[in-house]
Amino acid sequence: MIRVLNIIFIFLLTGCMSNYGIDDLAMLSGVGFDASEDEGKHFDITTMYQIPSETDVFEYLHANADSLMNADIELMSQTKREVVNGQLRISLFGEQLAKDGIFPIILSFLRDPSIGPLVYLAVAKGTAKDVLVTQLKKEPNTGSYIQTMLERLDEEDVYPSVNLLQFARSYYDDGIDPYLPMIFSTKKNIVLEGIALFKDDRMITSISKEKAIFIFLLSKEFKEGVVDLEIELGGKKENIHLSYVCTKHKIKVSKENKNNFTVNFELHLTGSLEGYSGDQTLSKDSVQKEIESKVNTILSSEMKGMLSFLQKHKVDTIGVGESIRNSLSYEEWKNLNWDEVYPKINFTTDVTMKIRNMSKFK
C-alpha cells in the first residue's frame, strides 16, 4: 500500500506534463517531516520556497495528513503556484519521526527524478518544523543555510555530511547501518548537535559531536579530521586540539568459532598540534613523548568505549559487518545471525599517533 501511495505522491509532486513560467512555481528549497500529533494522522510536513521575483522573501506551506499523497494534495491547495522539488537542498526529519522510521520518505525521494541524489539529509532535535522556520538574521533561506553549513563541516574534515545517495547505500548494505547529522535551533541560529544513529531506517540513539569523532576515526571511510582531547600534564588538565591524517587503517578479523569473532582496529595517525591551553614547554622531547603516549591511550580507550556503546544499541555505524562479511564465504555470511553475533564481538584497538609541530608552542 505504501508503495502505491509513494508512486502517486511522486506523480503529483513532479507535475512534469505541465508548462509553467518561473513566476508560477513554488520551488522548494527545504522540507521538514515530523510525526503528527493528531490522531489518525501520520505526517506533519513543513516546506519552504522563495517567492519568485522577490528578494529573500520565503513562504512556508504546512500539511498534516495520514499519507504522503494526502499531504501533497494539502500542500498544493495552499498556493496558486506549482509545487516542484527540483531545487530541494535539504530534507529534515523530526526526532520522533526518525525513531518511527523514514524509509517511505527516502523511497519516494529516490523514485522522484526531479530530486537529485545529493540532497542533504539531517535529523532535527525536537521537530524539523522548528528548525526550518528559524528566522536567521542574514540568511533568510534556511534550507540553503543548513546545506552550506553541512558542506563546510564536510570540506573542513570536521563532520562528514550525508546525502540521499549515501544514506540509501548504507540502508541497503547489510554490513553497515546509516547515520545522519543531528541539528537543532536556538531560535536565532542553527547548530550541529551530533549524529543520529540508525538501525535500518529507524533512529536508535544519538551521540554528541565530540564523541562522533571516534566513530569517524574507526571508520575506514574517513582518512583525516580534527579532535579535541583533555590530557593531564604536570598534574594539570590541559586541552589540546589536533588535526590528523590516518596513514594506516587496518581491520583484522579473527574467527574464534562459528559465532564468535575478535576484531582488531590498527590505526597509525600523523597529527598536528593546532591548539594548546597549558604552559608546558612543548619543545622538550620528554614532554612531547608524554603527550603522544597519553593521546594514544585516550584515543584507544575512547574507541573501545564507542565500540561497546554501538554494540549495546545494536547499531553498526562503523561497518564492522562489512569486514566480517568479507572474511567469510557468501554462504557463511548468509547463515550468520548478525543481530546475535554483533553484540558479542570482542574488540581490540591499537592506536599510534605521531604528533608534529609541537615545538611552535614554547
Side-chain angles (χ1 to χ4, degrees), residues 64-272:
N64 194 16
D66 56 353
S67 69
L68 292 174
M69 178 189 68
N70 287 337
D72 180 54
I73 294 172
E74 194 172 333
L75 291 174
M76 287 193 299
S77 70
Q78 297 173 22
T79 177
K80 64 180 182 180
R81 297 184 172 86
E82 172 78 355
V83 180
V84 294
N85 294 322
Q87 296 299 313
L88 189 63
R89 295 291 180 265
I90 181 75
S91 178
L92 302 178
F93 305 100
E95 199 170 352
Q96 183 56 55
L97 185 69
K99 291 177 180 177
D100 293 341
I102 60 175
F103 183 69
I105 300 167
I106 296 295
L107 189 58
S108 71
F109 279 4
L110 292 172
R111 287 173 169 172
D112 187 341
S114 72
I115 296 180
L118 304 184
V119 171
Y120 286 97
L121 308 180
V123 171
K125 187 176 178 62
T127 68
K129 178 183 178 182
D130 284 346
V131 173
L132 204 59
V133 302
T134 301
Q135 298 296 312
L136 303 169
K137 279 188 177 179
K138 298 183 179 179
E139 297 284 350
N141 189 341
T142 310
S144 178
Y145 175 83
I146 297 171
Q147 175 202 7
T148 303
M149 180 183 77
L150 296 177
E151 281 180 342
R152 180 180 57 79
L153 291 171
D154 188 272
E155 290 171 357
E156 294 177 1
D157 301 316
V158 182
Y159 298 99
S161 57
V162 180
N163 59 40
L164 177 61
L165 184 63
Q166 291 166 327
F167 185 91
R169 186 178 60 186
S170 296
Y171 172 81
Y172 283 111
D173 192 322
D174 59 358
I176 189 170
D177 291 318
Y179 73 91
L180 288 178
M182 192 170 193
I183 59 179
F184 70 98
S185 170
T186 64
K187 302 301 180 185
K188 294 182 179 179
N189 196 10
I190 296 171
V191 182
L192 182 73
E193 165 82 3
I195 63 173
L197 309 180
F198 284 72
K199 179 71 174 178
D200 298 325
D201 71 326
R202 297 176 186 272
M203 174 183 161
I204 303 301
T205 186
S206 63
I207 58 174
S208 68
K209 56 182 181 291
E210 291 81 10
K211 292 292 182 182
I213 295 297
F214 303 109
I215 285 185
F216 304 144
L217 273 166
L218 285 162
S219 175
K220 59 187 175 185
E221 296 285 333
F222 309 105
K223 301 296 184 184
E224 54 189 335
V226 295
V227 60
D228 291 310
L229 297 175
E230 183 182 79
I231 64 174
E232 186 173 318
L233 285 176
K236 295 172 61 178
K237 290 185 178 180
E238 312 286 5
N239 295 310
I240 60 173
H241 176 75
L242 296 164
S243 61
Y244 65 85
V245 175
C246 185
T247 57
K248 183 178 181 181
H249 187 290
K250 187 175 182 181
I251 302 176
K252 182 179 179 182
V253 176
S254 302
K255 185 178 179 181
E256 310 300 335
N257 55 49
K258 183 180 177 181
N259 292 319
N260 290 293
F261 297 85
T262 293
V263 177
N264 175 258
F265 288 83
E266 182 182 352
L267 278 73
H268 292 260
L269 309 168
T270 298
S272 292

